[in-house]
């Protein structure tokens, strides 16, 4: 698995420090509010579980699963809901927790969908962002790191369902996804 890593971009320690920082910021900004965290499966699973423990508020968590990529490395722009929320978000302060934003198509779709359920507020938190790749405008409220246009794996993020359990964020060797 590790022989497919091109370069480690963010170590466990760097990620942990960033997650602490974002957690603190969210704790301050949602003080006295009821917050629902929505993790986007499966990629945001690891980030979500670290982040929620750094938020010192009575949060509720829920998950959605959407598919945009299939097994390839290119976003199709077609988003399908594979698992919907368990609970209503009407009148709730909602924060979407995502692993990585690329074209923005997935979150654009998701935001539209969630806004139609009338939350009190809706914001976006992502660990990683590839701003150069954006195809639709998106306001990112909380962000870990900007990254260049490379294929990323680790810390929950996969290529063809593999590498999610790497504890760091890395780029994948081209020969792995171009073969
Ligand atoms: P978007 O719709 O193009 O913004 O893509 C969003 C989703 O594609 C993310 O939630 C990831 O699951 C996946 N994705 C985007 N870039 C990468 C990457 O570099 N590695 C693995 N998955 C990615
Ligand atoms: Mg994702």
């Amino acid at each position: 698995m590790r022989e497919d890593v091109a370069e480690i971009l963010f170590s466990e320690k760097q990620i942990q420090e960033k997650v602490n920082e974002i957690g603190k910021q969210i704790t301050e900004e949602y003080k006295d509010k009821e917050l629902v965290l929505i993790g986007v499966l499966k990629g945001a699973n690891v980030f979500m579980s670290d982040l929620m423990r750094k938020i010192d508020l009575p949060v509720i968590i829920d998950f959605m699963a959407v598919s945009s990529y299939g097994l390839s490395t290119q976003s199709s722009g077609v988003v399908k809901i594979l698992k919907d929320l368990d609970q209503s978000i009407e009148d709730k302060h909602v924060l979407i927790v995502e692993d990585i934003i690329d074209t923005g198509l997935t979150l654009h779709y998701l935001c539209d969908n969630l806004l139609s359920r009338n939350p009190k507020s809706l914001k976006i938190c992502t660990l990683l962002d590839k701003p150069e790749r954006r195809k639709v405008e998106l306001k990112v409220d909380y962000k870990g790191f900007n990254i260049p246009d490379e294929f990323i794996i680790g810390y929950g993020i996969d290529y063809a369902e593999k590498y999610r359990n790497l504890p760091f964020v890395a780029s994948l060797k081209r020969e792995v996804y171009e073969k």
Side-chain angles (χ1 to χ4, degrees), residues 103-165:
T103 63
L105 290 168
T106 306
L107 273 190
H108 182 77
Y109 171 86
L110 211 55
C111 284
D112 270 0
N113 182 291
L114 293 178
L115 281 172
S116 74
R117 307 181 196 195
N118 301 316
K120 201 173 271 172
S121 69
L122 181 66
K123 288 192 175 182
I124 293 175
C125 173
T126 187
L127 180 69
L128 304 172
D129 190 6
K130 298 178 189 170
E132 303 160 34
R133 296 258 312 159
R134 201 72 92 252
K135 286 190 184 153
V136 285
E137 213 181 301
L138 208 60
K139 183 171 180 282
V140 182
D141 302 282
Y142 303 95
K143 184 192 296 193
F145 307 97
N146 279 334
I147 49 169
D149 181 14
E150 284 180 79
F151 200 82
I152 302 303
I153 49 167
Y155 196 69
I157 302 167
D158 73 308
Y159 169 63
E161 295 299 330
K162 281 168 36 186
Y163 312 104
R164 292 191 196 276
N165 56 322

Side-chain angles (χ1 to χ4, degrees), residues 1 3 38 67 82 88 115 139 148 151 153 156 158 164 171:
M1 182 169 66
E3 64 276 9
I38 298 182
S67 76
L82 304 175
S88 163
L115 281 172
K139 183 171 180 282
F151 200 82
I153 49 167
D158 73 308
R164 292 191 196 276
S171 54

Side-chain angles (χ1 to χ4, degrees), residues 40-44 66 68 98-100 106:
V40 186
L41 295 173
K42 302 171 205 166
V66 297
S68 55
E98 178 60 299
D99 51 355
I100 177 166
T106 306

Side-chain angles (χ1 to χ4, degrees), residues 5 13 16 23 34 58 86-87 90 138 145 164 166:
V5 167
K13 186 161 172 281
Q16 240 17 272
E34 256 187 69
D86 294 333
Q87 298 153 50
E90 186 163 359
L138 208 60
F145 307 97
R164 292 191 196 276
L166 288 173

Side-chain angles (χ1 to χ4, degrees), residues 11-91:
S11 67
E12 276 187 86
K13 186 161 172 281
Q14 281 173 301
I15 298 170
Q16 240 17 272
E17 282 169 7
K18 189 59 83 174
V19 171
N20 288 349
E21 215 177 278
I22 299 173
K24 254 190 209 147
Q25 206 185 334
I26 293 172
T27 303
E28 278 164 26
E29 292 180 17
Y30 285 90
K31 199 169 276 165
D32 304 321
K33 290 188 180 137
E34 256 187 69
L35 176 60
V36 182
L37 296 175
I38 298 182
V40 186
L41 295 173
K42 302 171 205 166
N45 160 46
V46 177
F47 180 40
M48 174 78 147
S49 56
D50 280 347
L51 179 66
M52 69 181 178
R53 285 175 288 174
K54 299 296 172 190
I55 300 176
D56 191 14
L57 296 170
V59 300
I60 285 171
I61 65 159
D62 209 334
F63 292 95
M64 273 181 100
V66 297
S67 76
S68 55
Y69 270 21
L71 293 181
S72 102
T73 57
Q74 289 297 306
S75 185
S76 61
V78 180
V79 179
K80 202 167 107 192
I81 294 184
L82 304 175
K83 184 221 168 284
D84 207 340
L85 299 175
D86 294 333
Q87 298 153 50
S88 163
I89 53 165
E90 186 163 359
D91 241 11

